[in-house]
Amino acid sequence: NKKKNKKKNKKKNKKGGAKFGIFAMPQDEFDAMCKRWLEATKDQVEGLTDEQKKEMNPAFIGYEFESDHRPWHVTKQMKVPDNIPKPEYHETGDPVSERAIKANRTSTIPINTPEDMDKMREVCAIGREVLDITSRFLKAGVTADELDRVCFMACMERGVYPSPLNYNKFPKSLCVSVNEVICHGIPDCRPVQ
């Protein structure tokens, strides 16, 4: 019965009938959730004037830009609560065990156990939810910093660490690549256009 229902739901979804996950949440509830998260993280931008938000990181002074777009102020790195399990790089930014694995890599492909596969499915489902929430929040006028804060809080509510945060010293929970940024853009206070 479960398999038949899943197939039926998949067919409905392909036809555009049924909505699943975060997209099933009514817009007013979704907006209220995001507003609550932004309120909980308002210390990131509280007290910054509009002019301060537009200030470019001094590291970019002298860089030759191809357009009028410039990076804006990057807020401080958010802290993950003690109850959330953390990777080894959460303090230092150095993924030591990952480098060790890469250095000792052989041509052997690891075989995952059924338990490993179950864990991977669970983690992927959580990642998908966070991605769906963040992408649903994205619209013109939202700042990249607000996207980061929504992503961060979605992770916190699910009890997971946002993997980009402090990985090789990356200061945010997600990458936002807009305008001239090719990849790994650091979320800042510039509104998305």
Side-chain angles (χ1 to χ4, degrees):
N1 271 344
K2 285 184 181 180
K3 285 184 180 181
K4 283 181 184 178
N5 286 339
K6 278 187 179 180
K7 283 183 182 179
K8 204 183 240 185
N9 286 338
K10 282 184 182 180
K11 283 181 186 176
K12 277 186 188 176
N13 197 28
K14 284 181 183 176
K15 293 178 184 174
K19 286 186 174 182
F20 298 97
I22 197 67
F23 295 103
M25 180 185 283
Q27 189 64 42
D28 60 334
E29 288 179 33
F30 180 81
D31 292 343
M33 176 183 70
C34 291
K35 185 177 181 178
R36 180 173 43 86
W37 288 346
L38 292 174
E39 181 66 25
T41 58
K42 70 181 179 186
D43 64 313
Q44 289 294 101
V45 292
E46 206 167 42
L48 288 177
T49 66
D50 287 343
E51 286 307 308
Q52 288 172 320
K53 290 177 185 176
K54 293 177 184 177
E55 285 179 6
M56 184 170 57
N57 184 320
F60 289 106
I61 295 173
Y63 179 82
E64 285 190 40
F65 292 92
E66 297 292 322
S67 74
D68 294 333
H69 295 292
R70 299 290 180 271
W72 286 21
H73 176 76
V74 175
T75 59
K76 66 183 187 260
Q77 184 173 324
M78 289 194 277
K79 300 294 179 211
V80 176
D82 291 339
N83 65 315
I84 306 285
K86 296 167 189 66
E88 67 179 351
Y89 59 81
H90 83 278
E91 286 182 343
T92 65
D94 188 9
V96 177
S97 60
E98 181 181 314
R99 281 189 288 114
I101 290 168
K102 285 179 181 177
N104 296 322
R105 189 171 281 165
T106 64
S107 59
T108 306
I109 298 172
I111 307 296
N112 292 314
T113 66
E115 293 81 19
D116 292 336
M117 296 301 289
D118 287 343
K119 288 177 189 174
M120 289 174 71
R121 282 185 196 92
E122 184 181 347
V123 168
C124 289
I126 292 169
R128 177 81 250 175
E129 282 180 15
V130 172
L131 181 62
D132 287 347
I133 290 167
T134 307
S135 65
R136 184 172 174 183
F137 182 69
L138 174 62
K139 58 185 170 265
V142 165
T143 68
D145 183 74
E146 289 170 332
L147 283 171
D148 180 71
R149 290 160 52 201
V150 164
C151 175
F152 179 87
M153 291 302 293
C155 289
M156 297 307 100
E157 284 207 359
R158 284 153 184 76
V160 298
Y161 187 92
S163 61
L165 187 62
N166 211 31
Y167 177 78
N168 285 313
K169 300 194 186 323
F170 188 82
K172 297 294 180 176
S173 299
L174 58 78
C175 302
V176 180
S177 301
V178 294
N179 305 326
E180 293 183 347
V181 180
I182 296 170
C183 66
H184 302 137
I186 298 172
D188 61 19
C189 291
R190 174 184 266 285
V192 175
Q193 298 173 321

